[in-house]
Amino acid sequence: MAGRTRKGEQTRRLILETALELFRERGYDETTMRLIAERADVALGNAYYYFRSKEHLVQAFYARVNEEQRTVSAPELARKTDLQARLSVVVRAVIEIMAPYHRFAGSLFRSAADPRSPLSPFGPESAESRRRGIALFVDVLDGSTTRVPDDLRAELPGLLWLYQMGVILFWIHDNSPGHRRTDRLIDLTTEIVAHVISLASIPILRPLRRRTLQLLAELRGDEP
Amino acid sequence: MAGRTRKGEQTRRLILETALELFRERGYDETTMRLIAERADVALGNAYYYFRSKEHLVQAFYARVNEEQRTVSAPELARKTDLQARLSVVVRAVIEIMAPYHRFAGSLFRSAADPRSPLSPFGPESAESRRRGIALFVDVLDGSTTRVPDDLRAELPGLLWLYQMGVILFWIHDNSPGHRRTDRLIDLTTEIVAHVISLASIPILRPLRRRTLQLLAELRGDEP
DNA sequence: GTCTATAACCGGATAGAC
DNA sequence: GTCTATCCGGTTATAGAC
């Protein structure tokens, strides 16, 4: 594997930092591999030695966002027990971290939806980063005072992670100053989501809940 | 504009049919503009004369799917009044029509999520095709016997169109034979969706409904 | 307005020498 | 690990024929 020696690690890091810098400055398409290599003062082929493709640079970006999201949210999560508040903290964090990459993130989501792309958040190459993303929502739930029915508890983190993906998709299309519209979306939707979760226990909705859970259970299992 | 004369229309059609054929056979990336031109027996430049980019060929694909979905669903819609049944008809239709393009559709959804891509279903270039897609769900609702609160009625077609996009996204990732898993998803989710819509009228859920509609109202208006 | 032919540019990706 | 040279395909440009 690439980047095993001290020197290799340094070169790898240099290339990644340069790439992220350029992504922020110019977006995805305008950032050519040639430009990354040039600014990092390495040969084009060398960039490809460390990152098999331009898309693999993006995987590295995902991993970093993930990591920072957890770090940034931790102190606030330690202080809050209200489900809406906790949800809001982590979702706001991910948007805040990605903020400098707004333009970049747009082109990014391209590959995200392609199942054969190594960048698809649903694909096998992203399993690890997805697992970590979902794990954060396990913490969000575990630390909250809201009562969640046991059957739902198992599925909820994955659903909340999907919800977060939805927010990110919205943010990508949001050009309001300081992503105000996305902030507002988070305000309103975390409230709705928390409300729905608390309603999930009431009797009239039991059939709906059972049906929904059955659906989720069925869809698990023979995923490619 | 290109394709105004009879002959031009024919050439345009020839290029499009050839492209769709190749998309079915080889997917998106493997289908080069050079290959399309070659098999259609036109010059490369001529293909670009009728379709400004490879992505514009895809817009044409969207339009056709849209059109066929309406045609194929029409007879069944004329006979059914149950909301779940009607929903099921149109969503199944769109999957059936796209079935031969499964691999192709995967790479397709790439550009779909990029707001700056001419293919984004949320972008201005797709406004017309989106409008038509949503219009079909207006028909689905209008012909059904389910009672829908007035405030919700305005928003629902757009939401159902989004739901359909979700199904398509699932289908893209579905490799089960004969897209059985997607069929099952449609069974279960149309039932859930229809159920939720019918529940929307009951009093306990009124606050939730109001809040959700307020959210949607607020998000409309200053979209980029 | 339609179309051909051909050359060129650009950027992602790879091969193979050092 | 790193470089240079090269391939490949989307896209553009040009010049001219019907």
Side-chain angles (χ1 to χ4, degrees):
Chain A
M1 281 295 129
R4 277 307 178 71
T5 64
R6 189 147 343 163
K7 177 136 184 245
E9 238 165 272
Q10 258 177 28
T11 309
R12 184 193 169 80
R13 190 175 180 77
L14 169 66
I15 292 169
L16 178 57
E17 295 307 326
T18 309
L20 291 181
E21 190 180 306
L22 284 166
F23 285 153
R24 260 172 280 145
E25 283 176 28
R26 321 167 50 105
Y28 186 73
D29 287 333
E30 309 279 279
T31 298
T32 69
M33 290 297 279
R34 280 168 177 83
L35 191 56
I36 295 171
E38 190 185 328
R39 194 181 294 189
D41 250 315
V42 299
L44 176 60
N46 200 13
Y48 277 100
Y49 176 76
Y50 286 102
F51 298 92
R52 283 222 306 268
S53 77
K54 201 176 170 184
E55 300 200 324
H56 282 76
L57 277 166
V58 178
Q59 280 286 16
F61 167 75
Y62 284 164
R64 174 163 308 188
V65 169
N66 230 292
E67 201 182 308
E68 282 195 39
Q69 182 187 19
R70 186 168 274 275
T71 313
V72 167
S73 320
E76 284 212 77
L77 284 184
R79 282 191 276 101
K80 295 186 174 171
T81 57
D82 176 63
L83 180 54
Q84 183 193 352
R86 291 173 66 80
L87 255 182
S88 182
V89 163
V90 300
V91 177
R92 252 175 243 290
V94 82
I95 295 296
E96 214 49 66
I97 290 159
M98 300 209 305
Y101 297 91
H102 188 255
R103 204 164 38 125
F104 170 60
S107 0
L108 239 189
F109 246 59
R110 269 203 287 216
S111 334
D114 181 352
R116 273 181 321 299
S117 157
L119 296 183
S120 169
F122 308 111
E125 293 91 338
S126 306
E128 181 54 22
S129 127
R130 181 172 60 245
R131 205 187 50 67
R132 272 202 291 259
I134 293 177
L136 186 51
F137 288 101
V138 173
D139 292 359
V140 166
L141 275 182
D142 283 351
S144 99
T145 46
T146 300
R147 205 194 144 278
V148 179
D150 279 351
D151 52 359
L152 185 57
R153 190 162 209 106
E155 301 287 354
L156 212 40
L159 291 177
L160 292 174
W161 178 79
L162 268 180
Y163 156 69
Q164 174 182 263
M165 297 279 286
V167 172
I168 292 174
L169 183 58
F170 180 89
W171 166 74
I172 283 173
H173 291 261
D174 172 15
N175 285 315
S176 63
H179 51 77
R180 252 178 245 151
R181 279 157 56 71
T182 301
D183 281 348
R184 187 70 183 135
L185 178 81
I186 296 174
D187 277 350
L188 295 169
T189 53
T190 52
E191 192 183 345
I192 289 171
V193 167
H195 190 118
V196 167
I197 292 174
S198 72
L199 283 178
S201 309
I202 74 176
I204 340 148
L205 295 180
R206 191 153 185 270
L208 177 60
R209 190 178 95 228
R210 298 298 292 245
R211 209 170 299 172
T212 308
L213 287 169
Q214 187 213 337
L215 164 68
L216 293 169
E218 209 170 300
L219 297 183
R220 196 176 316 296
D222 48 316
E223 196 56 277
Chain B
M1 281 294 132
R4 277 307 178 70
T5 64
R6 191 149 339 164
K7 176 131 186 246
E9 238 165 88
Q10 258 176 28
T11 309
R12 185 194 169 79
R13 191 175 179 77
L14 168 67
I15 292 169
L16 178 57
E17 296 306 328
T18 309
L20 292 181
E21 189 180 305
L22 283 166
F23 285 153
R24 260 173 280 146
E25 283 176 27
R26 322 167 49 107
Y28 187 72
D29 286 334
E30 309 279 279
T31 299
T32 70
M33 289 298 278
R34 282 169 176 84
L35 190 55
I36 294 171
E38 190 185 328
R39 191 175 303 185
D41 251 315
V42 300
L44 176 60
N46 200 14
Y48 276 99
Y49 177 74
Y50 285 102
F51 298 92
R52 284 222 304 269
S53 75
K54 200 176 170 184
E55 299 199 326
H56 281 76
L57 278 166
V58 177
Q59 280 286 15
F61 168 74
Y62 285 163
R64 172 161 311 187
V65 170
N66 229 291
E67 201 182 306
E68 283 195 37
Q69 182 187 20
R70 185 168 274 275
T71 313
V72 167
S73 318
E76 284 212 77
L77 284 183
R79 282 191 275 101
K80 296 186 176 172
T81 58
D82 177 62
L83 181 53
Q84 183 193 351
R86 290 174 68 79
L87 257 182
S88 182
V89 163
V90 300
V91 177
R92 250 174 245 290
V94 83
I95 296 296
E96 213 51 65
I97 290 159
M98 300 208 306
Y101 298 92
H102 188 256
R103 202 162 42 127
F104 170 59
S107 1
L108 240 188
F109 245 58
R110 268 203 289 214
S111 334
D114 180 352
R116 273 181 322 298
S117 157
L119 295 185
S120 167
F122 309 111
E125 293 91 340
S126 305
E128 181 53 23
S129 124
R130 180 172 62 245
R131 204 188 50 66
R132 272 201 290 259
I134 293 177
L136 185 51
F137 288 101
V138 173
D139 292 358
V140 166
L141 275 182
D142 283 351
S144 98
T145 47
T146 300
R147 206 194 144 280
V148 179
D150 278 351
D151 53 358
L152 184 57
R153 189 162 209 106
E155 302 287 353
L156 211 39
L159 291 177
L160 292 175
W161 178 79
L162 268 180
Y163 155 69
Q164 174 182 262
M165 298 280 286
V167 172
I168 293 174
L169 183 58
F170 180 90
W171 167 72
I172 283 173
H173 290 261
D174 172 16
N175 285 314
S176 62
H179 52 78
R180 253 177 245 151
R181 279 156 57 71
T182 301
D183 281 349
R184 188 69 183 137
L185 178 81
I186 297 174
D187 277 350
L188 295 169
T189 53
T190 52
E191 191 182 346
I192 290 171
V193 168
H195 190 120
V196 167
I197 292 174
S198 72
L199 283 177
S201 310
I202 73 175
I204 343 148
L205 295 180
R206 193 155 184 271
L208 177 59
R209 189 179 95 228
R210 298 298 292 243
R211 209 171 297 173
T212 308
L213 288 169
Q214 187 213 337
L215 164 67
L216 292 169
E218 210 170 301
L219 296 184
R220 196 177 314 295
D222 46 316
E223 196 56 278

